[in-house]
Amino acid sequence: MRLIEKVWFNNHPAKWLLLPMLLPLSAVFWLLSSLRRLSFKFGLSKSYNVSKPVIVVGNIGVGGNGKTPIVIYLVELTRSLGLTPGVISRGYGGQAPHYPYLVNNDSTTFAAGDEPILIQQRCQVPVAVGSDRIASAELLISQGCNIIISDDGLQHYRLQRDLELIIVDGKRLFGNGLLLPAGPLREGQWRLPKSDLVIYNGQGFNDKEAKDTPKSSNLSLHMSLAATEVCNLLTNERINLTDFIMINSSVNAIAGIGAPQRFFDTLTVNKLKVINQQSFVDHHSFTLADFSAFDDNIPLLMTEKDAVKCRAFCKANWWYLPVDATFSQVEQQILQDKIKAAS
């Protein structure tokens, strides 16, 4: 974990050195973001409503909250309701030949970014990438999609939305509660009551923390991330997680996601002994040299997001652990009702 993240989430003593320098920058960030938000509210900047319903899945803080599993869940849920979904994404880190860019089976993470490739490969759903989310949405509508799911984009106020979901890491919550760069927040906690649903990812959210969370008239749901199988990068072989653990009680592990410790904790919870683990920054562009310290005789486990960037040079003993968002039946029904009302 980077030092600044320890300040944000772990109350690291370095805060006494860093916060006096960063708080003035946070004040500037607050001023600029507030002016931008007000410009849309009072019509000084124009927002646009596309011809099909839009669901925005976002967060008020930095990454690692669990947006991508929710997007995948919503793709399958909307399909079960008879809809034809498409996904739009900024495509962080990608360098597509043009924008908006329609992801296909031959697209690479270099062109589209890691999360769009993951979503397209997992769901076989149309995915459009680009900073202009309105153009991306229009492209998907022209492809026959009748509901648009925006992966991130909560603060992209140019695009009007019919349903807004805010995802919160149930363990880290809002860190020190400060705006960037002194804290992890892009918008303050006041933003939560203005969304349609707040979804807490994980079991760390407890009654005491609930009292500290801003009261709102909207609903709060709780999701879990479930892992049931592992997949081989080289052969695409799939093995039940329980069977894999019986064969391989010890593994190595890497994670280049927003909250890598969450992945390592998942392995521990599932009774896997991690011999050597290594964290990388979110959206890290992997090369074979990144894996030189690992023993090829020990299985290497990674996230599905990391796997899409490692297939070109993967080895026989490399595996990834896909995870799925899960809800109770009651909460799934709430999501269904919200989607039906929006569409």
Side-chain angles (χ1 to χ4, degrees):
M1 182 182 291
R2 295 177 299 165
L3 179 60
I4 189 61
E5 291 175 327
K6 293 179 181 178
V7 171
W8 290 347
F9 298 111
N10 296 340
N11 201 30
H12 193 279
K15 67 181 182 179
W16 302 113
L17 174 65
L18 294 177
L19 290 186
M21 295 186 292
L22 296 177
L23 282 171
L25 298 177
S26 293
V28 174
F29 180 89
W30 171 82
L31 177 62
L32 294 177
S33 60
S34 296
L35 290 174
R36 179 176 175 274
R37 196 162 45 244
L38 289 171
S39 71
F40 282 101
K41 181 177 180 179
F42 293 107
L44 300 177
S45 297
K46 185 172 177 56
S47 62
Y48 297 86
N49 184 25
V50 298
S51 60
K52 302 298 180 183
V54 173
I55 303 173
V56 167
V57 180
N59 54 35
I60 62 172
V62 295
N65 295 283
K67 293 189 306 296
T68 302
I70 286 290
V71 169
I72 292 171
Y73 183 90
L74 290 174
V75 168
E76 300 303 333
L77 185 58
T78 52
R79 280 174 169 164
S80 74
L81 296 174
L83 298 168
T84 304
V87 177
I88 58 175
S89 172
R90 174 65 180 85
Y92 182 87
Q95 299 181 40
H98 57 82
Y99 292 103
Y101 175 72
L102 188 64
V103 180
N104 59 60
N105 291 332
D106 298 321
S107 298
T108 64
T109 56
F110 176 81
D114 46 24
E115 289 160 349
I117 294 294
L118 186 163
I119 294 167
Q120 192 273 338
Q121 289 183 354
R122 169 82 88 93
C123 303
Q124 291 298 299
V125 64
V127 178
V129 168
S131 59
D132 186 343
R133 293 176 184 271
I134 296 162
S136 294
E138 295 289 4
L139 174 60
L140 292 184
I141 292 169
S142 73
Q143 298 291 312
C145 298
N146 58 16
I147 189 165
I148 305 300
I149 302 168
S150 178
D151 181 12
D152 211 352
L154 186 69
Q155 290 80 30
H156 191 89
Y157 290 109
R158 283 188 67 237
L159 177 62
Q160 295 180 23
R161 63 286 313 258
D162 301 274
L163 182 61
E164 191 176 75
L165 313 181
I166 294 181
I167 316 303
V168 177
D169 186 320
K171 183 176 182 180
R172 297 189 303 174
L173 293 175
F174 314 104
N176 60 13
L178 299 174
L179 294 178
L180 289 166
L185 300 184
R186 292 184 281 187
E187 292 184 289
Q189 295 177 49
W190 58 266
R191 185 67 172 78
L192 301 180
K194 299 183 180 298
S195 68
D196 297 288
L197 287 172
V198 179
I199 300 175
Y200 290 91
N201 174 15
Q203 302 302 315
F205 185 74
N206 58 39
D207 291 338
K208 178 183 180 301
E209 288 160 339
K211 295 176 182 178
D212 298 330
T213 302
K215 298 296 185 294
S216 64
S217 57
N218 62 359
L219 292 169
S220 295
L221 307 184
H222 294 78
M223 78 165 184
S224 298
L225 296 179
T228 59
E229 62 182 8
V230 295
C231 306
N232 188 276
L233 272 72
L234 187 63
T235 66
N236 292 320
E237 177 187 9
R238 292 176 176 265
I239 299 178
N240 181 277
L241 180 57
T242 302
D243 295 337
F244 181 85
I245 293 170
M246 290 178 63
I247 302 169
N248 306 285
S249 58
S250 298
V251 298
N252 291 321
I254 63 102
I257 57 177
Q261 191 57 48
R262 180 184 291 277
F263 175 67
F264 300 138
D265 290 344
T266 298
L267 302 184
T268 302
V269 166
N270 283 282
K271 310 302 182 185
L272 282 162
K273 181 181 179 181
V274 180
I275 303 298
N276 186 11
Q277 68 183 46
Q278 188 171 352
S279 300
F280 296 86
V281 296
D282 197 12
H283 304 290
H284 178 73
S285 296
F286 288 99
T287 66
L288 187 58
D290 292 320
F291 303 88
S292 59
F294 295 105
D295 184 345
D296 291 340
N297 294 315
I298 300 175
L300 176 68
L301 276 178
M302 63 184 69
T303 71
E304 188 174 12
K305 178 176 167 179
D306 295 322
V308 298
K309 295 177 285 187
C310 298
R311 292 188 183 278
F313 51 83
C314 63
K315 297 184 179 181
N317 217 10
W318 291 13
W319 303 79
Y320 69 90
L321 186 73
V323 294
D324 296 296
T326 62
F327 293 88
S328 69
Q329 287 188 337
V330 171
E331 291 178 319
Q332 179 172 307
Q333 187 62 52
I334 291 171
L335 274 170
Q336 288 181 347
D337 292 342
K338 288 284 187 179
I339 292 169
K340 289 177 181 178
S343 56

